[in-house]
Amino acid sequence: MTLLDPATCYAAIERRDPACDGVFFVCVVSTGIYCRPVCPARTPLAKNCRFVASAAEAVAAGFRACKRCRPESAPFSPAWNGTATSVKRALDLIDAGGLDRSEAASVPGEALADKLGVGARQVRRLFARHLGVSPVAVAQARRLALAVKLIDEGRLSMAEVAAEAGFGSVRRFNEVFAAVHGESPSARARRTKTSARARRTKTSARSRRTQASVPARRMKGPTMLTLTLAIYAAPVGELLLVTDDEAQLRALDFHDFRERMHRLLARHYGDFALEPGPAPPAIVAALDAYFAGDVAALDSVPVATGGTEFQKTVWAALRAIPPGQPCGYGALAARIGKPGAARAVGLANGSNPIGIVVPCHRVIGANGTLTGYAGGVDRKAWLLRHEARPAAE
């Protein structure tokens, strides 16, 4: 995937350059919304902007489509159109519903690979290299974008929206939508209706003002959360430890994924400040013990997270997975009483801000493969070997 220069992209959104429409998208971490470069809304602060090459990548990162510029309807970017022929054909098949309401849902990518005449592994590799997301993520972005549009139009029931958008069941639709958007489809429908009434009232009030009226300023938000950032030298690389003033762990990530850590913190807490400082001694001692072989030492580390109730339920279930006994996404979904919600569990797993201590690395594919990991598959393999060692001795 082509790396995007933040300074160049930010200059383009400042001038709302139409030549960049579809070339990239801007994700605003302070609002959780992603936009086109030509969005008419007020330009966000540079520190709150993250730039991606596709709408699917933005959705996979947990951002919602802007209702003003409708980024899900933007022209295909060169990052999409300029990919290999197989990827372009795959995108066409996905856009036509090739991964919707079919056996492809239970075996992601294989039905698509059969139609392309290549292996499922090769399809996943091409998508990762050219688009930065999986075929399932692209298909899900398409379904969710259509679902949002249909909900906002307000003409269909939730069951009809789920079917029209390509979800296999209303239950799966509700779970995936809530995992990505942080609210149920019905809650969004109610909020959309309320917002529409408020806009009509506001428009009526504005019509009585002169054109020279100055719009009211937004109320200042709550006090900014201040967190402490410490560095911990681990066998798998330097770890970034973020704690609060109550010695609770708020985030743990690898040093080469600092950007991801900042994005997740911003999604959970909005504006926040990181100040360098020492990590709480109890957390350091627990990490020392863990890497020395006491793989249960992290169970006592206090953690605090934002996130939706569903995400928190998944993260709590992750801490209940015994070391050395990894499980699949389906099994984890069953443990929280949501059988069939493996994909939603996977999304929540990928949004976990506290690595290792909240052990998302203990979730593997149904066939025993390691699948993805935010810190890299090599680190995931190391952690699983490390945790399995005491049980084997």
Side-chain angles (χ1 to χ4, degrees):
M1 195 176 99
T2 303
L3 294 178
L4 302 172
D5 176 58
T8 301
C9 292
Y10 189 74
I13 67 171
E14 280 189 306
R15 62 178 182 270
R16 295 180 173 81
D17 190 348
C20 294
D21 191 19
V23 175
F24 67 85
F25 298 82
V26 56
C27 301
V28 185
V29 298
S30 57
T31 63
I33 291 172
Y34 75 99
C35 301
R36 296 159 67 170
V38 294
C39 183
R42 185 175 62 180
T43 303
L45 297 177
K47 67 178 183 179
N48 292 330
C49 295
R50 305 291 182 268
F51 302 99
V52 297
S54 69
E57 188 177 353
V59 173
F63 290 88
R64 309 183 304 277
C66 173
K67 295 178 66 175
R68 296 189 66 181
C69 65
R70 295 289 186 185
E72 68 273 19
S73 64
F76 278 161
S77 69
W80 285 43
N81 288 334
T83 56
T85 302
S86 294
V87 177
K88 179 60 173 66
R89 288 174 57 207
L91 291 171
D92 291 339
L93 289 169
I94 290 173
D95 194 52
L99 289 183
D100 295 348
R101 293 191 298 263
S102 72
E103 69 280 359
S106 58
V107 189
E110 288 192 9
L112 191 64
D114 289 342
K115 295 177 182 179
L116 295 173
V118 298
R121 186 176 179 182
Q122 175 66 0
V123 172
R124 292 192 296 270
R125 185 184 298 117
L126 287 173
F127 270 68
R129 185 176 73 208
H130 292 292
L131 304 179
V133 290
S134 68
V136 172
V138 173
Q140 181 171 278
R142 171 191 172 276
R143 290 194 291 267
L144 286 174
L146 178 56
V148 167
K149 179 176 181 293
L150 294 174
I151 290 172
D152 291 350
E153 288 176 352
R155 294 182 292 102
L156 303 178
S157 69
M158 291 302 106
E160 291 171 328
V161 169
E164 185 69 20
F167 288 90
S169 69
V170 175
R171 184 180 67 181
R172 173 159 292 180
F173 169 51
N174 288 335
E175 290 170 344
V176 174
F177 193 97
V180 173
H181 291 284
E183 63 180 348
S184 68
S186 297
R188 182 184 178 96
R190 290 192 296 270
R191 183 167 56 80
T192 299
K193 290 179 181 177
T194 301
S195 298
R197 286 195 296 268
R199 283 196 300 271
R200 287 194 295 269
T201 301
K202 191 174 182 179
T203 300
S204 177
R206 282 182 175 175
S207 67
R208 294 191 294 268
R209 300 175 187 171
T210 65
Q211 292 295 325
S213 296
V214 178
R217 293 181 178 273
R218 291 193 301 175
M219 295 294 290
K220 188 176 182 180
T223 304
M224 180 183 294
L225 179 66
T226 300
L227 302 171
T228 300
L229 173 64
I231 307 296
Y232 179 88
V236 285
E238 287 188 340
L239 302 179
L240 305 174
L241 308 182
V242 177
T243 54
D244 58 24
D245 56 7
E246 296 181 5
Q248 299 178 111
L249 190 62
R250 296 275 185 157
L252 186 156
D253 217 325
F254 298 96
H255 68 97
D256 44 340
F257 288 87
R258 183 183 296 262
E259 181 69 18
R260 173 183 180 274
M261 182 189 75
H262 278 264
R263 174 174 56 79
L264 290 177
L265 286 172
R267 290 282 291 129
H268 293 324
Y269 307 118
D271 289 338
F272 67 95
L274 277 182
E275 296 181 352
I283 294 180
V284 173
L287 286 168
D288 287 343
Y290 171 83
F291 286 112
D294 181 5
V295 295
L298 301 180
D299 293 348
S300 61
V301 173
V303 301
T305 63
T308 65
E309 289 305 313
F310 179 80
Q311 288 173 330
K312 290 178 181 179
T313 300
V314 172
W315 299 337
L318 290 175
R319 299 199 79 182
I321 302 174
Q325 300 179 35
C327 71
Y329 294 101
L332 188 60
R335 289 188 186 187
I336 64 173
K338 300 282 188 180
R343 290 188 186 177
V345 165
L347 286 169
N349 201 50
S351 298
N352 170 33
I354 305 177
I356 303 180
V357 174
V358 178
C360 50
H361 61 274
R362 294 178 191 166
V363 184
I364 60 176
N367 59 357
T369 58
L370 297 188
T371 65
Y373 182 56
V377 174
D378 289 342
R379 283 178 174 140
K380 181 171 184 172
W382 189 97
L383 291 168
L384 291 175
R385 287 196 304 269
H386 176 67
E387 293 178 349
R389 192 173 298 121
E393 294 176 351

